[in-house]
Amino acid sequence: MSKISIIGAGPGALDLMTQRAIKRLREAEVLVWTDSLIPQNILTLCKENCECIATSSLTLEQILPILINAAEQGKKVVRLHDGDPCLFGALSEQIQLLEKAKIQVEVIPGISAYQATAAALNSELTIPGITQTIILSRASGRTGTPEREGLEKLASTNASLCLYLSARHVSSVEKTLLNFYPEDTPVAIGYRVSWEDEWIKIVPLKKMASTSQEKGLIRTTIYIISPGLDVKNKRSNLYNSNHKHLFRSQ
Ligand SMILES: C[S@@+](CC[C@H](N)C(=O)[O-])C[C@H]1O[C@@H](n2cnc3c(N)ncnc32)[C@H](O)[C@@H]1O
């Protein structure tokens, strides 16, 4: 059966890819990649004669025949998405059509932008007593979000809120969030996290929009709004000597 590997490239830095993803990339004979969100140097991992096709200007109707034809010819085909393919990557529609064409699909996960950003800041997003929940979402924009997942509803939890694809809507996002989070809630703004020109800053919520606009951020930007980002002197039960559990009964 013909096969395609759909791979998460991670946030950008080559050494943040999984070993399995790198192996598939090195073996690929045809690479179809999301060039608008992945640094060009990823191509250095491919064989010299690998056919590399960028998708930023293509439609699903153009991408699918490329994948299917190459797989049916028995070639090793990789579809490369930024971050983790299960997040905002139009994965589902591609898999459905590939399976309809009787192509076997393998998905290899990648590190998502929110994880790379939290790591770059040496931060934990689930701090006991502060928040135990991470929400991954986006400003509504042209794609829209179901009404029950409106930003107001998400913000009302005061959880760690990671917003993808939202830089163009940052003013209205900030305005909505200020109705729910205190104005000095820390917001991590991450632009091209792990790329060579990475820029990350933590600002108070009330400066989320102005900072983004001053920096001219429109694309490849993630926001993490989290009361956990500036927590000091909080400790969990996990390594607390008063807390007994299966592996530490004494
Ligand atoms: C189409 S979505 C794909 C998300 C991706 N699948 C992931 O798991 O990170 C693209 C959005 O992800 C975020 N993003 C992806 N890579 C990023 C990076 N290196 N730095 C900051 N944001 C990033 C931005 O919000 C960008 O607009």
Side-chain angles (χ1 to χ4, degrees):
M1 194 177 180
S2 313
K3 185 180 148 188
I4 284 181
S5 300
I6 300 182
I7 291 179
L14 299 191
D15 55 359
L16 286 179
M17 283 179 82
T18 65
Q19 294 199 26
R20 194 180 296 177
I22 290 176
K23 183 169 187 289
R24 295 292 185 280
L25 210 49
R26 286 197 197 286
E27 291 168 355
E29 293 165 290
V30 176
L31 169 71
V32 178
W33 68 297
T34 306
D35 54 311
S36 55
L37 287 159
I38 299 174
Q40 174 103 17
N41 67 352
I42 202 110
L43 302 181
T44 60
L45 294 175
C46 298
K47 291 197 279 208
E48 228 169 71
N49 57 353
C50 175
E51 187 187 352
C52 299
I53 299 152
T55 57
S56 57
S57 63
L58 303 183
T59 63
L60 183 67
E61 288 68 28
Q62 292 169 312
I63 295 170
L64 257 291
I66 298 171
L67 295 172
I68 292 170
N69 291 340
E72 283 176 345
Q73 286 169 37
K75 292 185 177 162
K76 292 198 166 118
V77 185
V78 165
R79 172 73 176 107
L80 187 68
H81 281 275
D82 64 304
D84 187 90
C86 84
L87 281 168
F88 306 116
L91 181 70
S92 165
E93 63 209 47
Q94 295 180 71
I95 290 181
Q96 280 173 43
L97 292 169
L98 289 169
E99 286 179 348
K100 206 167 158 198
K102 307 253 179 296
I103 309 277
Q104 191 188 332
V105 178
E106 164 195 50
V107 178
I108 300 179
I111 292 176
S112 186
Y114 89 93
Q115 295 166 302
T117 306
L121 293 167
N122 294 351
S123 287
E124 179 181 352
L125 302 178
T126 51
I127 311 240
I130 308 286
T131 176
Q132 289 289 282
T133 302
I134 302 172
I135 299 172
L136 309 179
S137 191
R138 57 175 300 169
S140 187
R142 282 197 299 176
T143 302
T145 47
E147 205 184 318
R148 62 183 179 279
E149 297 173 11
L151 203 48
E152 294 83 0
K153 297 214 167 77
L154 305 182
S156 68
T157 62
N158 263 228
S160 291
L161 176 61
C162 307
L163 293 178
Y164 292 72
L165 298 159
S166 300
R168 283 177 202 273
H169 311 283
V170 67
S171 293
S172 64
V173 167
E174 178 187 298
K175 200 165 159 227
T176 304
L177 297 183
L178 280 170
N179 294 325
F180 299 93
Y181 292 86
E183 62 174 27
D184 57 354
T185 304
V187 177
I189 308 178
Y191 170 73
R192 287 189 168 182
V193 176
S194 89
W195 292 43
E196 277 179 10
D197 57 352
E198 162 185 291
W199 180 87
I200 308 183
K201 194 167 181 182
I202 297 185
V203 300
L205 176 56
K206 62 183 174 199
K207 296 212 165 137
M208 176 183 182
S210 60
T211 309
S212 303
Q213 283 151 0
E214 275 158 29
K215 184 76 187 156
L217 302 178
I218 308 175
R219 304 180 52 235
T220 329
T221 302
I222 187 159
Y223 298 98
I224 303 182
I225 300 96
S226 176
L229 283 174
D230 67 354
V231 168
K232 310 249 172 347
N233 303 322
K234 261 293 191 187
R235 77 173 282 183
S236 67
N237 285 332
L238 188 56
Y239 298 109
N240 193 320
S241 58
N242 297 324
H243 183 68
K244 311 290 177 220
H245 56 68
L246 188 60
F247 298 101
R248 197 180 54 229
S249 51
Q250 312 272 329

